[in-house]
Amino acid sequence: MSKRPPVDHAALVERGKRVLALEAAAVRRIADGLGPAFARAIELLAAAKGRVIVSGVGKSGLIARKIAATFTSTGTAAAFLHPVDSLHGDLGIVGRDDVAIVLSKSGSSDELFGLISQLKRLGVPIVAMTSDADSPLARQANVVLDASVTEEACPETLAPTASTTVALALGDALAVTLLEVKGFRREDFASLHPGGALGRKLLLRVADVMLTRDLPTLTPDRPMRECVVLLAEKRGTVAVVDGAGALAGVVTAGDLARLMERTDKFLDIPVADVMTKAPKTTTADELAGAAVSLMERHGIMALPVLDGGRKVVGVVHLHDLMKAGAV
């Protein structure tokens, strides 16, 4: 039995680097050449009262599906339409208020022309994404976006590689630019992704997690003996408030530990002499993730929640935020 030659790992890595470098260069060339046609495409997409219909055949069809999904998840209603299926009943999803994005490397795929004809009949504007600006698809389009590549990453250009990467990047550029034009916000994205971890982080507010009942509070004149009890019962943080409920400071378990290192006669010391007078705080409508970030930066485990002024309306703990998925 003949032995297989040893694997040259370095050569394999170099091949992978070559593919990535070639595709990165292809995207860079398209980015450097982006011009007025892109702006006109955005104007068509922004003006459309209906949906964005995205279509393509083969590998272009797979990229078209992803582009449609990206539009949908960023606040622009979109749907993928296979050009062949469009001629067998699926054209019913297209309305006169829609706009179409059609992907084809050559711009001359026979399967496209029935759909193109029907889009023209309905008066649907067409944005073509193709490598050939003089192709039949390009001649029928309202806007042509250059998606050409000098070479594919695949040896002998047997399979679309760099060209599909360019098309995908152009689709992302359209979707992201459009969401910025529309003023699409983080909260809008979260509302479309409520089941995902990112959606939870974007939607979750301090108000959803904070404690609002039996808050650990003391007035500044109370002795540390009372504070010690609250620190033990209420998870290591006590808010010090004045008679109107306004925050005056905070005492933590760490403050108590440092006090005990200095003296063993601390029980009668007023909390005002121990508290941190300018503690970190948050508000009920703050994003839970922002509260977590504040705690991590300053090494604290809980934050008093204020009403927008100085009144304490709650306390939020890091452990509760972690359980709620804010981390």
Side-chain angles (χ1 to χ4, degrees):
M1 253 174 41
S2 61
K3 291 185 178 180
R4 295 179 61 185
V7 176
D8 186 343
H9 289 170
L12 297 178
V13 170
E14 285 305 312
R15 289 183 182 183
K17 287 182 177 180
R18 182 190 67 82
V19 172
L20 292 173
L22 190 152
E23 297 198 354
V27 173
R28 170 53 59 191
R29 189 182 68 82
I30 292 297
D32 290 343
L34 210 62
F38 183 84
R40 292 197 299 273
I42 294 296
E43 289 175 340
L44 279 178
L45 293 166
K49 296 179 181 178
R51 288 185 294 184
V52 177
I53 305 298
V54 193
S55 188
V57 178
K59 301 297 188 297
S60 293
L62 296 175
I63 299 301
R65 288 180 186 274
K66 193 276 178 185
I67 292 173
T70 300
F71 273 113
T72 299
S73 70
T74 53
T76 297
F80 170 76
L81 176 61
H82 194 286
V84 175
D85 291 341
S86 72
L87 304 181
H88 297 276
D90 285 4
L91 191 68
I93 72 168
V94 181
R96 295 181 183 275
D97 292 331
D98 294 341
V99 61
I101 300 174
V102 181
L103 285 66
S104 173
K105 180 181 178 182
S106 68
S108 57
S109 300
D110 291 339
E111 298 95 331
L112 291 175
F113 299 126
L115 171 60
I116 297 299
S117 176
Q118 294 305 312
L119 292 175
K120 300 291 285 186
R121 179 180 64 82
L122 291 169
V124 173
I126 299 171
V127 176
M129 201 180 291
T130 180
S131 296
D132 187 351
D134 193 40
S135 63
L137 169 61
R139 290 195 294 270
Q140 295 298 320
N142 299 78
V143 177
V144 180
L145 297 179
D146 177 23
S148 61
V149 296
T150 56
E151 63 176 313
E152 298 284 9
C154 178
E156 307 300 328
T157 67
L158 296 176
T161 46
S163 58
T164 49
T165 299
V166 163
L168 183 60
L170 268 174
D172 287 343
L174 288 170
V176 172
T177 303
L178 185 60
L179 76 84
E180 291 176 352
V181 168
K182 289 183 171 182
F184 193 74
R185 302 165 302 162
R186 291 167 60 91
E187 291 82 357
D188 299 320
F189 184 90
S191 69
L192 296 177
H193 301 75
L198 180 57
R200 288 195 298 275
K201 288 183 182 181
L202 293 178
L203 288 173
L204 193 68
R205 304 280 176 173
V206 168
D208 300 321
V209 183
M210 70 183 192
L211 304 177
T212 58
R213 299 179 63 182
D214 298 325
L215 296 179
T217 61
L218 288 173
T219 54
D221 61 318
R222 302 313 301 162
M224 279 299 296
R225 69 175 68 252
E226 294 181 21
C227 190
V228 169
V229 174
L230 283 179
L231 288 172
E233 292 180 346
K234 300 293 185 177
R235 302 164 68 181
T237 300
V238 173
V240 183
V241 298
D242 64 18
L247 184 68
V250 164
V251 179
T252 68
D255 294 326
L256 174 61
R258 287 185 288 273
L259 177 64
M260 292 173 67
E261 289 176 355
R262 296 197 304 269
T263 178
D264 57 1
K265 298 179 180 179
F266 58 86
L267 293 179
D268 293 323
I269 296 176
V271 294
D273 294 346
V274 181
M275 70 184 185
T276 298
K277 296 180 180 179
K280 304 301 177 184
T281 64
T282 186
T283 59
D285 61 352
E286 180 63 86
L287 286 173
V292 171
S293 177
L294 181 62
M295 292 181 188
E296 290 178 338
R297 288 200 309 273
H298 296 281
I300 51 183
M301 298 297 293
L303 293 171
V305 183
L306 306 183
D307 63 355
R310 295 297 298 171
K311 186 175 181 180
V312 177
V313 294
V315 175
V316 63
H317 290 268
L318 180 59
H319 289 157
D320 293 333
L321 288 165
M322 292 175 67
K323 287 179 182 179
V327 180

